[in-house]
Amino acid sequence: MKNDPHAGNRILSGGAPLSRARLAMIMVHGRGGAPEDMMGLADYLGLPDIAIRAPEAAGNSWWPDSFLAPLARNEPGLSSALGVMARLSDELAEQGFGPDRTVVLGFSQGACLALEHAARAGRKLAGVAGLSGGLVGTADGDGAPQPELYNHVEKKFAYDGRLDGTPVLLGCHERDPHIPLARVRTTEKLFQDMGATVTTQIYPGAGHGVVEEEIRALRAMLNG
Amino acid sequence: MPQTIPGLHHVTAISGPPQGNVDFYVGTMLQRLVKKTVNFDAPDTYHLYYGNDRAEPGTILTFFPFVDAGPGRAGPGMASAVAYAVPPGGLDAWMMALAGAAVDFDGPAERFGERMIALTDPDGLRVELIETDRGTAGIAAADDRPVDGGFHSVTLWLDNPDGTARLLTDLFGYDSAGEDSHGAEKRYRFVAKDQGRGAVVDLVTSDARSIGRQGAGTIHHVAFRAENDEVQNAWQDTLRSQGFEVTPQIDRQYFNAIYFREPGGVLFEIATDPPGFATDEPMDTLGHDLKLPPQHEPLRAQIERVLPPITIPRRPTR
């Protein structure tokens, strides 16, 4: 249990029943959040034909440090969290909702997790949305700390799958204190290189939160 | 002489084990631990008080940290959020500091024209920071203790706001200050006459399905200020004459309290400003020692044995 802190935690179900859902959406809460928050966001999106699954992090946090920190600092939380995502995807696939019928969406820390899961899984998905998030990376880098990464060292990003035909939405504030714009741009490029169709929305000023423009873009993506 | 309530006195919530609570409110929110005592009704549990440097009414957030508290959840009939006042221009520094401490938040958004962010404490209590002129005059935006201004407001989640609204306007002397809709949520604002610290009460109705459950991360009661015992007695009479069941005055050591259930279901208290928190230890060393009320002093050895040890973090300067 110690090495897999998120295993066995609650997974909330909501939205349409799988029997008549068009898509399934895995919605991942941020640090300090709860799956109920994601259900609230799903209600607000107002899409009645999507089944929702919202996993809960142990202690409401998927990992303890910033997603920019060296990977070991966030273990075993990070690996355990990726395990939750993989198992939840497998369960949905067994019930007829393979990756091409599944959307993964997250906010903040949950966005980092959703994006990292999508990039590592490397298969076409029905959609990916990172609201105030960026890729975590697959290994620590060996460069110098960079001011544009808030004095963290750039990670390595070794993803070998393809995401052709996958719509990806990235939304972030210009000066998000948690998520450096440089990492959002790197994330955008890496997803493009994997073949995904990326829409990036950068909101002016400082901030960190779900904004109305994202809701509109999500509705467009999920209805499309 | 129509008496009016000047604003919030304190807000009391429930948390899980105390160390995470202290680390967050002192280490991250930069509050001063102004009193370390026990729950007078259950002396094997701490009662921790956080406030500004001068431990003033309207800045005091208190917790009962139950080691085995189950997770609670706000719902109709409960206070669902507490908001601190940040001077205009002070929010950006807060966002950077919170991100630096790997504490997530949501925002900034605007509420009634004021910029705000929302976060949750380690037990899931919703804490908001709102930029406002109210009660923040003379506090620098880049101050190293930017929540010195104490509370901006408290949010009550209600099925029907009418009874509570009438209590606030007709008895407490608050002014109705408009309403605002956001998705399934409707927010009605009420502001105390003198517009000072902790002057705002927001009533919220929501279509979101939630059944509230008292537990870690939920607010237990909301206390309003009375300038002295005489004023408090007058409130007791007024409330009783209006059909509220009000408790007799209870000595809480640092204030005197009366309690009643408001029409929406939230437990309200009216607490006196005096004698304040420096009544049993000097202002300079508030919060250092475990303080017990006289009736529990004979049990000190036993109480100290069962209370979990806590370490007070040094408040970082920013």
Side-chain angles (χ1 to χ4, degrees):
Chain A
M1 196 58 197
K2 263 253 168 343
N3 289 321
D4 200 354
H6 307 301
N9 260 25
R10 289 190 308 156
I11 294 174
L12 255 59
S13 298
L18 288 179
S19 56
R20 54 180 178 78
R22 182 168 53 87
L23 294 172
M25 178 154 65
I26 301 174
M27 300 182 77
V28 194
H29 69 77
R31 185 193 305 274
E36 285 83 357
D37 305 340
M38 293 289 112
M39 291 297 174
L41 177 60
D43 285 347
Y44 193 58
L45 280 167
L47 300 164
D49 54 354
I50 297 182
I52 311 292
R53 295 290 181 273
E56 179 182 51
N60 305 99
S61 184
W62 294 105
W63 53 78
D65 208 330
S66 164
F67 81 114
L68 303 164
L71 290 175
R73 291 253 289 272
N74 283 320
E75 292 295 359
L78 175 59
S79 296
S80 174
L82 287 164
V84 167
M85 295 297 286
R87 283 196 299 276
L88 189 45
S89 302
D90 290 349
E91 276 166 33
L92 285 168
E94 279 165 23
Q95 298 176 78
F97 289 80
D100 58 338
R101 292 186 71 194
T102 300
V103 177
V104 294
L105 173 153
F107 168 61
S108 190
Q109 194 184 50
C112 299
L113 175 55
L115 294 169
E116 190 64 25
H117 163 77
R120 290 196 192 187
R123 283 181 300 179
K124 182 188 178 208
L125 284 153
V128 178
L131 313 179
S132 306
L135 284 164
V136 179
T138 51
D140 292 328
D142 40 26
Q146 300 179 29
E148 60 270 30
L149 290 174
Y150 299 169
N151 295 318
H152 288 273
V153 173
E154 184 62 307
K155 297 268 185 39
K156 290 176 179 160
F157 303 92
Y159 308 111
D160 42 20
R162 295 293 301 174
L163 290 164
D164 295 273
T166 302
V168 175
L169 172 68
L170 300 175
C172 201
H173 281 82
E174 187 182 15
R175 288 181 288 116
D176 184 312
H178 283 280
I179 316 291
L181 188 58
R183 179 59 64 79
V184 179
R185 292 301 182 195
T186 303
T187 302
E188 177 183 41
K189 178 164 190 316
L190 285 159
F191 274 111
Q192 281 168 346
D193 290 349
M194 284 184 271
T197 308
V198 186
T199 305
T200 308
Q201 299 196 346
I202 304 298
Y203 316 112
H208 181 76
V210 178
V211 303
E212 204 57 45
E213 288 97 313
E214 275 167 329
I215 302 293
R216 278 198 292 276
L218 275 171
R219 283 201 189 107
M221 181 172 102
L222 297 173
N223 278 324
Chain B
M1 50 117 240
Q3 194 72 51
T4 62
I5 293 274
L8 298 170
H9 182 281
H10 68 267
V11 174
T12 292
I14 297 167
S15 79
Q19 190 61 54
N21 186 257
V22 177
D23 288 344
F24 182 77
Y25 284 99
V26 178
T28 304
M29 297 306 292
L30 305 185
Q31 294 295 283
R32 180 174 185 190
L33 180 72
V34 299
K35 191 63 66 180
K36 184 166 67 175
T37 181
V38 294
N39 181 345
F40 292 177
D41 305 318
D44 58 343
T45 303
Y46 281 114
H47 193 182
L48 303 176
Y49 292 69
Y50 305 96
N52 71 356
D53 269 358
R54 298 168 302 286
E56 291 167 312
T59 76
I60 306 294
L61 183 61
T62 97
F63 286 90
F64 297 127
F66 292 110
V67 173
D68 53 359
R73 181 145 195 92
M78 292 166 76
S80 56
V82 60
Y84 284 109
V86 173
L91 212 49
D92 287 353
W94 263 103
M95 289 194 279
M96 294 311 293
L98 289 167
V103 173
D104 212 346
F105 61 86
D106 194 354
E110 278 215 355
R111 182 185 290 166
F112 292 100
E114 295 172 336
R115 239 163 48 111
M116 59 163 294
I117 60 171
L119 52 142
T120 48
D121 84 355
D123 293 297
L125 176 65
R126 188 176 162 93
V127 178
E128 299 165 339
L129 295 175
I130 305 182
E131 284 186 333
T132 183
D133 293 326
R134 280 189 209 95
T136 55
I139 298 171
D143 198 292
D144 63 349
R145 281 167 205 142
V147 287
D148 211 36
F151 296 133
H152 172 282
S153 54
V154 66
T155 296
L156 313 183
W157 183 352
L158 306 171
D159 276 331
N160 177 354
D162 296 347
T164 312
R166 272 197 303 276
L167 168 67
L168 291 171
T169 55
D170 298 359
L171 289 185
F172 281 13
Y174 280 54
D175 292 317
S176 174
E179 57 183 83
D180 193 16
S181 279
H182 183 75
E185 184 186 283
K186 237 183 159 167
R187 179 175 293 269
Y188 306 85
R189 171 153 293 187
F190 297 86
V191 184
K193 283 271 186 292
D194 78 348
Q195 299 258 344
R197 170 189 292 151
V200 176
V201 175
D202 282 350
L203 309 184
V204 157
T205 59
S206 171
D207 295 342
R209 294 151 294 175
S210 179
I211 295 170
R213 191 166 65 122
Q214 202 69 255
T218 62
I219 292 173
H220 186 265
H221 65 263
V222 174
F224 295 85
R225 288 175 68 184
E227 290 83 347
N228 53 46
D229 282 356
E230 208 182 345
V231 173
Q232 188 185 55
N233 286 337
W235 280 118
Q236 201 177 32
D237 292 344
T238 306
L239 288 161
R240 282 182 176 158
S241 74
Q242 295 297 312
F244 289 98
E245 271 188 46
V246 187
T247 66
Q249 191 188 63
I250 299 168
D251 179 1
R252 293 300 186 196
Q253 188 85 358
Y254 312 108
F255 45 85
N256 288 321
I258 58 172
Y259 299 87
F260 65 101
R261 191 71 66 177
E262 58 86 27
V266 182
L267 185 62
F268 274 11
E269 173 182 346
I270 294 179
T272 55
D273 287 355
F277 294 93
T279 182
D280 58 356
E281 59 186 331
M283 188 53 92
D284 287 353
T285 58
L286 284 185
H288 275 218
D289 299 322
L290 177 70
K291 289 295 166 189
L292 298 176
Q295 69 270 29
H296 293 323
E297 199 57 65
L299 295 171
R300 177 175 280 275
Q302 209 174 321
I303 287 171
E304 286 181 341
R305 213 163 38 240
V306 297
L307 287 174
I310 50 176
T311 310
I312 313 301
R314 183 184 291 277
R315 282 195 297 177
T317 42
R318 287 176 183 162

